[in-house]
Amino acid sequence: MSFHRWLQNLRAALTPSRGERPQRGSPWAATYRPNLEVLEGRLTPSFTWMGTFSAGPTPPYAVVTGDFNNDGTIDVATAADTFNLLPGNGDGWLWSPVPIADFPPIPPEQPADFTSDGIPDLISVNGLGGGVVVRPGRGDGTFGDPIYSGDSGHDGLVAWKTVDLNGDGRLDLVLAYSTMDMGGMGSSLLGRGDGTFGQWEDFGLGLDPRTLAIGDFDNDGRVDLLVVDSEGAPLLLHNQEGHAGHWFGARLIGTHANRSGYGAVVTATMAGRSLVRACRADGSYMSCSDARVHVGLGAATRVDSLTVRWPGGHVDTFHDLPADRYVTLRESHPAPE
């Protein structure tokens, strides 16, 4: 890669069991249990408690949300000794946690379609050795054996994101490290569209990077990187990778769903090929990324149809959208802006 320096109503917590108060001097294990609390957002800046659910057998250090079983409702997964899935019921209720995979001690990101089959896959990264593992989704909340395993050789992973860097319609991977011997390092992996990646490409990332966010800062259709360096000024890396294809971007505005459209699933179809992307701004340590949905189209010059499945279940479909531009899509509105 060539760069130039330039939830849905969920709060995760290790909560005290009801009726208990932490005792001064007591260890966490004695007063805290691995629970999740779900709170319903209101129109005012307040929440209504909906329930407390078990997060698994051991306290989680991270929580990931997404539609893991492809049923149109938000699920919750917790990362601890194992990766546990709590399927969502669509009304704020979560089913009991089910272990679905063993993972190294770095939380996986939201599910994403690395195999280009419309089914969410799962990726995890080992923060100690930089190893990447991809497990294909089966569409029912379970995942197959790893189809890709690679290692950067760097230690000190601090953040990583999935993104289509070159517009070819295949999801790529960007990782940021704060290494002991080389300072800040970045690695990029170009996806092949089948769950595997090409060779690792390294680039410098300052002295001590701590966060990684993505966004098209200059609106040229190529997604850029923003890194915060604890030892210096923030680094904005302009994506100079040559376009492998066209692109399309959309800002979502919910009317019944949340205004930012977070959690919406977008399916773009062109020339018989469908790509699935999600509207999110989270997914990286202490950072917020561009919430616009960016889709690489490859050789296609138009999007034949684009479907938005909003949180709550409403579906909008738009037809014959030109490539290489950003539009605004409002929930329940018939035409893009």
Side-chain angles (χ1 to χ4, degrees):
M1 287 303 301
S2 175
F3 291 99
H4 177 68
R5 188 169 298 180
W6 175 73
L7 200 236
Q8 181 182 349
N9 306 331
L10 176 74
R11 184 186 71 187
L14 298 179
T15 58
S17 297
R18 290 195 171 279
E20 296 182 1
R21 293 182 180 273
Q23 302 297 314
R24 180 174 298 177
S26 299
W28 272 43
T31 58
Y32 281 77
R33 295 179 183 175
N35 294 333
L36 291 173
E37 288 188 354
V38 175
L39 296 93
E40 181 182 13
R42 318 301 294 178
L43 293 178
T44 58
S46 62
F47 296 87
T48 299
W49 178 84
M50 298 187 68
T52 298
F53 306 91
S54 171
T58 56
Y61 55 79
V63 172
V64 181
T65 63
D67 186 4
F68 287 86
N69 54 13
N70 213 26
D71 66 352
T73 61
I74 297 296
D75 310 309
V76 178
T78 61
D81 295 335
T82 60
F83 191 61
N84 302 298
L85 179 66
L86 289 76
N89 205 36
D91 58 0
W93 188 267
L94 301 174
W95 295 96
S96 299
V98 178
I100 57 175
D102 293 325
F103 280 97
I106 286 292
E109 197 177 304
Q110 291 77 23
D113 184 12
F114 292 95
T115 52
S116 305
D117 60 359
I119 299 175
D121 307 308
L122 202 60
I123 187 169
S124 62
V125 180
N126 187 332
L128 301 179
V132 173
V133 176
V134 177
R135 292 173 170 84
R138 299 189 178 105
D140 60 358
T142 64
F143 300 87
D145 294 332
I147 56 176
Y148 175 82
S149 180
D151 195 332
S152 70
H154 301 314
D155 59 0
L157 177 73
V158 295
W160 54 286
K161 292 292 295 182
T162 55
V163 57
D164 186 350
L165 290 168
N166 55 8
D168 64 356
R170 303 164 181 170
L171 286 178
D172 311 312
L173 184 64
V174 180
L175 308 97
Y177 304 89
S178 180
T179 67
M180 295 292 291
D181 52 349
M182 294 183 291
M185 290 293 298
S187 293
S188 64
L189 286 166
L190 295 183
R192 297 190 177 111
D194 59 358
T196 66
F197 299 92
Q199 68 182 30
W200 294 74
E201 297 187 26
D202 292 343
F203 50 93
L205 276 185
L207 298 175
D208 188 19
R210 289 295 154 184
T211 67
L212 173 64
I214 59 174
D216 185 1
F217 286 88
D218 57 351
N219 291 326
D220 65 351
R222 292 177 292 192
V223 180
D224 311 305
L225 310 180
L226 179 65
V227 178
V228 174
D229 192 331
S230 67
E231 299 294 331
L235 303 177
L236 180 59
L237 283 77
H238 183 220
N239 185 351
Q240 294 186 322
E241 180 74 5
H243 274 300
H246 298 279
W247 58 275
F248 178 83
R251 177 193 178 204
L252 303 185
I253 298 180
T255 54
H256 302 289
N258 66 85
R259 180 170 174 79
S260 298
Y262 294 143
V265 176
V266 175
T267 302
T269 301
M270 52 280 173
R273 178 189 185 194
S274 294
L275 299 175
V276 179
R277 302 290 185 262
C279 177
R280 310 194 66 115
D282 60 341
S284 188
Y285 177 67
M286 292 183 67
S287 64
C288 183
S289 293
D290 190 346
R292 293 179 297 181
V293 178
H294 179 276
V295 184
L297 304 180
T301 59
R302 307 187 75 80
V303 178
D304 296 331
S305 69
L306 186 136
T307 300
V308 182
R309 187 176 69 200
W310 300 87
H314 179 75
V315 176
D316 288 319
T317 302
F318 307 88
H319 298 281
D320 196 24
L321 302 173
D324 302 331
R325 66 191 62 192
Y326 287 102
V327 301
T328 297
L329 304 178
R330 295 180 184 269
E331 185 180 9
S332 299
H333 284 231
E337 302 172 11

